Amino acid sequence: MNIGLFGGTFDPVHRGHIAVARAAMERCKLHRVYFVVANVPPHKLRQSHTPFAHRFAMMALATAAEKAFVPSLLEAPEELSGAKPRSQKPNYTIDTMRSLKRSFNKRDKLFFLIGMDAFCDIGKWHDAEALFRECEFIVAGRPGYSLADVANALPERLRPRAEVTRPFQRQAATGNLVLPGATIHLLADLHQPASATAIRQAISSGKSLDRFLDPLVSEYIKKMKLYRAT
Ligand code: ATP
């Protein structure tokens, strides 16, 4: 089976996320996509987030209609995941990917889904090189970010020579970048303008960006009075 892992704060999950998962599924023939709601993403340790339980509930609602989409508790806080207590440490993606891998067959192939904005920082991630060894990447274009920057964003030791990446150094870069130590599939034509920050800001100033939300998620946000200015 081909399995996708899509991690994020999902605060809240929106149509942009769902579009990335659908496009990745089609492109790489994924049988399942796990949406891993982050508890403490290491790079956002200083920001406050909506409690995990709300972000997970919204994810469950947004993925309910699609059999292949699974809301994942892999990074849930201990009290919610049912897992044995362990030392409190940030959840690194490499740990999550390895524990997902352990639960599958050796023949299963893993893919990591990510938007280009987040991929720009991949070189700073904990053990990034190992993550490229564990799985193939599917990088989705996002308004304001160019897929032409994919090769430059790689951890230094994986960065290829310029000749190799020339075909990808165009705004409309597409296809697959296959390098020693990294395979990257580019999803160029998504152009999804949805952003969780914009959705939160709109709601807190009394506006609505419902068009970017699943109706069930939008209803949940209203019921639970999330993102309102206090
Ligand atoms: P924020 O706007 O607060 O940064 P976000 O909308 O990017 O939030 P995250 O939960 O941080 O949501 O994103 C999870 C993953 O989804 C990241 O890899 C991000 O790049 C990707 N992503 C989010 N929105 C889009 C989009 N509109 N198009 C492509 N990728 C996206």
Side-chain angles (χ1 to χ4, degrees), residues 6-17 19-20 43-44 47 49 112-119 125 140-143 190-200:
F6 193 11
T9 42
F10 301 116
D11 193 10
V13 54
H14 53 63
R15 290 198 192 279
H17 299 128
V20 169
H43 60 291
K44 290 189 177 173
Q47 293 173 26
H49 291 109
F112 185 70
L113 282 58
I114 184 168
M116 188 57 209
D117 58 312
F119 192 81
W125 287 25
R142 193 167 182 182
L190 272 171
H191 311 299
Q192 285 288 327
S195 135
T197 303
I199 291 167
R200 292 194 301 273

